[in-house]
């Protein structure tokens, strides 16, 4: 008897205890195509059976599987999963949806067995079952929601609606995450599709376009009516102008005449102003010429006066030269000073005499002061030399004297000196 391990149509794997396999005299599990069985012993896969009949024991045939062993049955055929995210909100709070088809199959049996034990709980009989819906719930909570909601939330509906590249980027990100998650569970993704439902945005856009078209047509009709009214207004204005053409022509003639009169008056004023300006410029030019002529006359007078002074000076210089050559520089100086004094007033001569007297007194005072200073310095020098000689004599005691005094000025000089360093007297005659 064939053991049917599936209880639901969408079951993809089930862990069945050995005792639940029906059959009294002989217990066997026949593996159909696209089915695999994993022998589970103490929670660890002991063996993988991929085809054929698997005996699990009975009264007549003990079987080839131990006592405390469970069988994990897995369907490896491709499975289709219809997924959908019905409530996705854009940044401008527009509701969109996304759905598609996900086809997968079991690729790595041992890794999928770990998922079977990780994401299922045993019932009262110890049976574990994993269906396509169980896998979808895991994908929805771990992948679909975590990828689609953040990506859609940061975009506006208009950008999402009109930007195909943006939707492709989101789809590629979702595909990569799904493929990675399924591979981690031991599953292989065979097909992946995505279909966007952007709500009523398309209808809103169509309604908006229709509204804009109707508004543009209405605007064109309004412009047509306004054009007719404006055309009739221009015709009325033309008729009115035709009625008043004679009056307007007469007024224009009078206005032109007034303008011509004003222009002629302005032209006459301008010519009068230019004539006045020309006269003023000529007067200024005449005044400048008179001033230049006066300056030239003054300059000529100054040149004549300077020439006369130069001639007087030349005669004086020749006279002084003659006196210098005849009587010497002192005579010339005396003559020159006499001329200078002759030009001075008595008060100036008296003041000059006082200045000369003050200069003579100051010179005598300076000479006297310098002589006193030299006398004091000479006396100080003599005292220092005597003091040095006495100190040297005291230091030498009874030795022969090394210094002596000059008989001329009394200065202390070395005993071997031939001349006095102060007065220059020759000492060899002493």
């Amino acid at each position: 008897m064939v053991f049917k391990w599936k209880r639901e149509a969408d079951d993809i794997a089930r862990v069945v205890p050995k005792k639940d396999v029906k059959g009294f005299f002989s217990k066997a599990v026949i593996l159909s195509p696209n089915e695999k069985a994993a022998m589970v012993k103490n929670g660890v896969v002991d063996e993988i059976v991929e085809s054929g009949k698997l005996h699990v024991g009975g009264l007549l045939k003990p079987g080839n599987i131990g006592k405390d062993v469970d069988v994990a049955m897995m369907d490896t055929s491709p499975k289709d999963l219809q997924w959908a995210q019905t409530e996705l909100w854009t940044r401008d709070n527009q509701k969109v949806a996304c759905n598609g088809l996900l086809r997968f199959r079991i690729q790595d049996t041992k890794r999928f067995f770990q998922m079977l034990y990780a994401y299922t709980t045993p019932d009262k009989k110890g049976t574990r079952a994993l269906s396509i819906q169980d896998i979808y719930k895991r994908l929805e909570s771990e992948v679909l929601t975590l990828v689609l909601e953040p990506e859609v939330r940061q975009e506006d509906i208009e950008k999402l609606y009109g930007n195909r590249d943006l939707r492709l980027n989101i789809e590629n990100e979702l595909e990569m995450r799904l493929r990675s998650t399924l591979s981690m569970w031991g599953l292989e993704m065979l097909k992946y599709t995505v279909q966007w439902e952007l709500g009523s945005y398309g209808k809103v856009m169509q309604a908006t376009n229709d509204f804009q078209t109707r508004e543009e047509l209405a605007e064109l009709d309004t412009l047509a009516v306004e054009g007719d009214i404006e055309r009739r207004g221009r015709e009325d204005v033309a008729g009115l102008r035709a009625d008043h053409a004679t009056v307007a022509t007469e007024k224009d003639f009078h206005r032109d005449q007034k303008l011509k009169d004003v222009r002629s008056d302005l032209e006459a004023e301008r010519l009068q102003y230019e004539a006045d300006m020309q006269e003023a410029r000529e007067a200024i030019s005449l005044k400048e010429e008179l001033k230049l002529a006066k300056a030239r006359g003054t300059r000529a007078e100054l040149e004549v006066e300077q020439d006369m002074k130069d001639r007087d000076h030349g005669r004086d210089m020749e006279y002084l030269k003659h006196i210098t050559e005849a009587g010497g520089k002192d005579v010339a100086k005396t003559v020159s000073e006499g001329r200078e004094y002759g030009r001075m007033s008595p008060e100036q001569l008296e003041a000059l005499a006082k200045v000369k007297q003050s200069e003579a007194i100051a010179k005598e005072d300076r000479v006297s002061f310098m002589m006193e200073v030299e006398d004091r310095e000479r006396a100080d020098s003599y005292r220092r030399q005597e003091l040095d000689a006495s100190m040297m004599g005291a230091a030498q005691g009874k030795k022969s004297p090394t210094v002596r005094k000059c008989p001329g000025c009394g200065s202390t000089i070395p005993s071997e000196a031939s001349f006095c360093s102060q007065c220059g007297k020759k000492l060899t005659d002493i």
Side-chain angles (χ1 to χ4, degrees), residues 45 66 409:
V45 177
C409 61

Side-chain angles (χ1 to χ4, degrees), residues 123-312:
D123 55 9
K124 295 180 180 180
K125 296 181 180 181
T127 303
R128 295 175 179 267
L130 184 67
S131 64
I132 297 176
Q133 292 300 319
D134 295 333
I135 294 176
Y136 172 67
K137 290 178 181 179
R138 290 293 175 182
L139 289 176
E140 183 180 23
S141 61
E142 297 181 11
V143 180
L144 297 176
T145 303
L146 296 179
V147 173
L148 291 176
E149 286 188 359
E151 293 290 339
V152 174
R153 186 60 179 172
Q154 64 183 357
E155 303 294 342
D156 294 332
I157 182 63
E158 183 176 358
K159 188 175 182 181
L160 191 65
Y161 183 82
N163 193 343
R164 176 60 181 165
D165 294 335
L166 176 62
R167 296 199 299 271
L168 286 176
N169 291 335
I170 297 176
E171 293 172 8
N172 293 334
E173 178 68 18
L174 180 60
E175 180 182 4
M176 183 181 66
R177 294 288 294 275
L178 286 172
R179 192 181 298 275
S180 175
T181 302
L182 291 175
S183 177
M184 183 180 63
W185 292 347
L187 301 175
E188 179 186 8
M189 188 170 69
L190 302 177
K191 187 177 180 180
Y192 162 76
T193 62
V194 178
Q195 183 177 358
W196 293 88
E197 295 180 4
L198 301 179
S200 58
Y201 184 73
K203 297 180 180 178
V204 172
M205 290 293 295
Q206 183 65 34
T208 301
N209 293 333
D210 295 341
F211 174 75
Q212 291 179 354
T213 303
R214 289 195 302 271
E215 287 295 319
E216 290 176 359
L217 293 175
E219 183 68 21
L220 291 175
D221 295 337
T222 303
L223 291 175
V225 174
E226 290 179 355
D228 294 338
I229 296 173
E230 185 178 358
R231 194 177 303 109
R232 288 194 297 271
R234 288 199 299 270
E235 291 175 356
D236 294 340
V237 170
L240 185 62
R241 287 178 178 175
D243 295 338
H244 294 80
T246 306
V247 178
T249 303
E250 185 178 358
K251 289 183 178 180
D252 291 341
F253 175 75
H254 290 300
R255 188 182 304 109
D256 293 340
Q257 287 298 118
K258 289 181 180 179
L259 287 174
K260 290 180 181 179
D261 295 339
V262 171
R263 287 173 181 171
S264 62
D265 294 339
L266 291 174
E267 184 67 19
E269 290 180 1
R270 185 181 65 80
L271 294 174
Q272 183 64 35
Y273 174 76
E274 290 181 355
D276 294 341
M277 291 298 295
Q278 183 65 27
E279 292 179 359
R281 283 194 291 269
E282 291 177 356
I284 292 172
S285 177
L286 180 59
K287 185 178 179 180
E288 292 292 335
E289 291 180 358
L290 291 175
K291 187 182 294 184
L292 290 175
K294 185 177 179 180
R296 292 192 196 99
T298 305
R299 181 176 179 181
E301 294 177 357
L302 292 175
E303 288 178 354
V304 170
E305 184 179 356
Q306 183 65 32
D307 185 51
M308 293 178 65
K309 290 181 178 179
D310 292 340
R311 290 181 180 180
D312 293 339

